[in-house]
Amino acid sequence: MLCLGTFLTAIRLCKVSSVGMQTMVEIMMKSIYTDFEQYSDNSLCSNLVRGIKNPPDYVYEALNVMKNDYKIIRDRLADGDTFLDLNREDELRKIIIKIVEEDVCIKDNVIVELYSGTKKADLRGHNKDIFSFLTGIFVYVLKNTDNKMKREDVRCINEDYLDEAQKEVVLVNKSIEKVDVEPVTMLATDDVSTEARKFCAKYETDISLLPLAQIAFCVDPIHNNVRQMYTDFCLCTEKVRREIIRLKELPWIETDGEWIDKTISKIDKDMQDKGYITRSILYEGAKYFHRAFLFYSDERIKEYSPQVFELLDKTYVGLLGPYNDLEKYVGDYFYFKEVDPDRKIIPPGDYMWDVCNLGSCPESEMTFWVCKFIIVCCTRISFENKEIQNVIDVEDDLWDIYYVDYNKISTMEDLYYYALYWLYYTYVA
């Protein structure tokens, strides 16, 4: 099924740069609507590629005003730094043509390449340059297809599909004859294993962060991450990624990022229902959570667990001092609420808000504490949920199978992915 997601995914399969995909989408959209802002919506590019969202309405409105003059799109695409691998131009044409030909909703006499006016039945004879070809298909996609609820269609556009597209298709009296040619993009089994082992060896010292690399792929598989390990993992083929995970004996994390918003809603509710906080800190679409990733990814974390919280168990003051970290405060809070219900103690989230001055602190500090609070709450809730369900031996499963060395968390990017990792483990795994 032809849609924006399958069109962009086909391009991504024939590219060599994660940055290039975002650049290409931005160039295409800005060539229609000059004030288009790529990052006005969290992970907009990723959602377009996945077949989750349509572009903003103002893009469609601006497209209707162009009156079939799409040269500006073609020229900006050709002049822009799109990082297209022109050595794979033939592959790109074939996979897009295959998607169009297999869409039974498009009749043979329909013009599907709107730049040069080429019909579906004549698409294999298209001899215009690749930028004209992409422009024409792109405009048709925007004008005639819906990109919502197309995740299943997008998932079908994978390396196997790309390999199949490299088989020449000749239309003779409406029958299809396939001529086998040597596949150029599929990795043999030995090559997959070799690539996976190379990755593991290259990032041996940080391999405990591998679950976060999986989370990075869920957030945006074409994002240029601060930590190179995440970017390199995302740029691996699915077969190589799965082999990496298999080699390290880790669980596979589902790549459909739809679980992110759902788990944020769940933790927001649980935080208040279970008494961690009396008000939401994930308001306005959890903006202070997502901004840790959007605006402060490369900011270094000075201290993972600042000890600024009052030590509730005074018997340990001599040993630990009068202050400890958020994890300790949360644990002590629920312990004393159980053994001494009449004791007046400020809920952890409320205390954190006051002590850390979250109402007026720099935004980067706010995002840090929101991430930390999610992690701490999820850690405790996860233990409770797993014990209630009696599914696993909590200690062994939590620390052996899903273990991430938090001592390796060094940037806000790491912390954001770590918080999402805990959301996944708590509510999805």
Side-chain angles (χ1 to χ4, degrees):
M1 177 69 71
L2 180 64
C3 65
L4 186 58
T6 55
F7 173 73
L8 294 174
T9 299
I11 295 175
R12 180 169 62 84
L13 284 171
C14 297
K15 290 172 58 62
V16 294
S17 170
S18 62
V19 177
M21 193 71 215
Q22 293 178 346
T23 303
M24 176 178 290
V25 172
E26 189 168 26
I27 288 173
M28 285 179 164
M29 294 298 179
K30 281 191 173 182
S31 66
I32 298 172
Y33 186 82
T34 55
D35 292 330
F36 175 83
E37 291 295 338
Q38 173 70 41
Y39 299 106
S40 60
D41 183 17
N42 294 350
S43 301
L44 174 58
C45 179
S46 178
N47 287 329
L48 294 178
V49 175
R50 286 179 174 150
I52 295 175
K53 288 184 177 182
N54 283 315
D57 290 341
Y58 55 74
V59 172
Y60 293 102
E61 294 169 2
L63 183 62
N64 291 331
V65 177
M66 297 184 76
K67 297 180 180 180
N68 301 328
D69 183 9
Y70 310 123
K71 187 175 185 299
I72 187 174
I73 302 177
R74 187 264 169 210
D75 290 347
R76 289 191 180 180
L77 190 61
D79 294 340
D81 189 8
T82 60
F83 295 89
L84 269 177
D85 184 354
L86 296 180
N87 293 322
R88 303 181 68 180
E89 174 184 336
D90 187 57
E91 294 178 63
L92 180 54
R93 286 180 185 270
K94 286 180 179 179
I95 190 172
I96 292 177
I97 290 173
K98 178 176 172 63
I99 293 170
V100 173
E101 289 181 343
E102 293 184 350
D103 192 331
V104 296
C105 296
I106 305 176
K107 303 301 182 182
D108 285 348
N109 62 347
V110 171
I111 296 177
V112 293
E113 199 275 76
L114 297 182
Y115 185 77
S116 63
T118 306
K119 297 178 181 178
K120 174 181 177 179
D122 301 327
L123 209 53
R124 287 196 172 270
H126 189 283
N127 59 3
K128 299 291 183 181
D129 64 90
I130 187 64
F131 301 110
S132 299
F133 176 79
L134 292 176
T135 298
I137 299 294
F138 171 62
V139 173
Y140 176 87
V141 164
L142 288 181
K143 282 180 169 286
N144 298 280
T145 69
D146 188 352
N147 199 47
K148 288 183 178 179
M149 307 298 290
K150 294 298 190 296
R151 289 187 295 273
E152 293 303 319
D153 292 328
V154 171
R155 286 174 182 150
C156 294
I157 312 303
N158 52 30
E159 287 191 338
D160 291 335
Y161 192 93
L162 177 61
D163 180 42
E164 189 69 21
Q166 302 319 302
K167 298 176 180 179
E168 187 69 25
V169 179
V170 182
L171 299 178
V172 181
N173 296 326
K174 296 184 179 180
S175 65
I176 298 179
E177 176 186 354
K178 294 186 177 180
V179 181
D180 290 336
V181 297
E182 188 67 24
V184 295
T185 60
M186 292 296 293
L187 290 174
T189 302
D190 288 345
D191 292 332
V192 169
S193 178
T194 299
E195 290 300 312
R197 286 186 282 110
K198 284 181 178 179
F199 179 92
C200 293
K202 180 178 180 180
Y203 294 108
E204 181 178 10
T205 58
D206 293 328
I207 206 65
S208 67
L209 296 178
L210 190 53
L212 305 193
Q214 292 194 79
I215 295 295
F217 188 91
C218 296
V219 172
D220 190 344
I222 54 176
H223 178 63
N224 188 26
N225 293 277
V226 175
R227 188 179 289 273
Q228 189 63 39
M229 172 184 169
Y230 300 152
T231 302
D232 287 352
F233 180 83
C234 291
L235 292 179
C236 290
T237 66
E238 180 174 342
K239 289 183 178 180
V240 173
R241 294 198 311 274
R242 286 188 177 274
E243 179 64 11
I244 292 169
I245 299 304
R246 187 194 69 79
L247 287 173
K248 304 313 297 183
E249 299 181 343
L250 293 172
W252 178 258
I253 294 177
E254 291 302 320
T255 57
D256 186 346
E258 187 176 348
W259 58 266
I260 294 176
D261 289 338
K262 292 180 179 178
T263 57
I264 289 174
S265 296
K266 288 181 179 180
I267 190 61
D268 190 25
K269 184 176 185 299
D270 279 351
M271 282 176 178
Q272 297 172 75
D273 290 350
K274 296 178 181 292
Y276 288 85
I277 196 170
T278 60
R279 55 183 171 180
S280 173
I281 59 171
L282 297 174
Y283 50 86
E284 296 182 19
K287 67 177 182 179
Y288 288 117
F289 174 51
H290 293 304
R291 286 180 183 182
F293 171 72
L294 293 173
F295 302 143
Y296 306 106
S297 286
D298 60 349
E299 188 163 312
R300 304 290 296 181
I301 294 175
K302 297 178 182 178
E303 188 177 4
Y304 177 76
S305 296
Q307 299 194 5
V308 295
F309 298 87
E310 178 187 0
L311 190 65
L312 296 178
D313 190 347
K314 303 302 182 183
T315 60
Y316 287 97
V317 170
L319 178 64
L320 302 176
Y323 298 99
N324 213 287
D325 56 26
L326 179 60
E327 292 87 341
K328 177 66 174 171
Y329 185 91
V330 170
D332 287 352
Y333 171 81
F334 284 103
Y335 171 77
F336 284 111
K337 288 293 288 184
E338 182 176 347
V339 301
D340 188 5
D342 296 330
R343 181 176 175 180
K344 294 183 179 181
I345 313 175
I346 303 176
D350 295 6
Y351 186 53
M352 177 184 72
W353 187 277
D354 293 339
V355 169
C356 301
N357 197 25
L358 299 187
S360 59
C361 69
E363 186 176 74
S364 60
E365 293 182 19
M366 176 68 168
T367 62
F368 170 84
W369 285 110
V370 170
C371 289
K372 277 289 295 184
F373 197 60
I374 289 175
I375 293 166
V376 173
C377 292
C378 280
T379 303
R380 184 177 180 86
I381 293 171
S382 178
F383 270 97
E384 294 172 349
N385 289 347
K386 303 302 181 183
E387 288 175 332
I388 292 171
Q389 295 170 10
N390 197 27
V391 175
I392 56 173
D393 180 287
V394 178
E395 290 287 344
D396 289 345
D397 186 84
L398 185 59
W399 299 117
D400 292 342
I401 298 179
Y402 278 89
Y403 176 72
V404 172
D405 184 2
Y406 65 81
N407 291 308
K408 296 286 186 179
I409 305 296
S410 60
T411 65
M412 290 297 292
E413 176 186 80
D414 292 333
L415 191 68
Y416 176 78
Y417 289 152
Y418 193 41
L420 284 175
Y421 154 85
W422 271 108
L423 285 170
Y424 183 89
Y425 178 79
T426 304
Y427 297 106
V428 181

